[in-house]
Amino acid sequence: SNVIMIKYPFHDNVDSSHHGYYEMTGQGEAVICRDGRSFPCTWVQENKTDMIRFVDDQGNDIPLKVGKSCVHILPDKVEITCN
């Protein structure tokens, strides 16, 4: 029903083993695809225990379609294009 692509800031090579991590609080770019359309938006999550919200340019929540959602986590350096 929903395909959600979320871009999170990614920090790589943070230790001697070259591990990395995604910074998953704050806000950033996202795209929601549903009903044959794509909706560029902003993800917002102030605290780790908060639910992720998706908002438009005006700060209004973008509802997801009822049903299953497929979520893709992407590094913030990746460009999202929908055709």
Side-chain angles (χ1 to χ4, degrees), residues 56-76:
D56 62 17
D57 293 348
Q58 307 300 313
N60 301 310
D61 286 331
I62 297 176
L64 298 177
K65 188 169 184 169
V66 175
K68 296 180 180 181
S69 294
C70 178
V71 179
H72 297 275
I73 306 298
L74 304 167
D76 57 351

Side-chain angles (χ1 to χ4, degrees), residues 5 45 71:
M5 294 165 276
Q45 186 179 26
V71 179

Side-chain angles (χ1 to χ4, degrees), residues 1-3 32-36 64-70:
S1 293
N2 304 290
V3 175
I32 298 172
C33 299
R34 62 176 164 81
D35 301 322
L64 298 177
K65 188 169 184 169
V66 175
K68 296 180 180 181
S69 294
C70 178

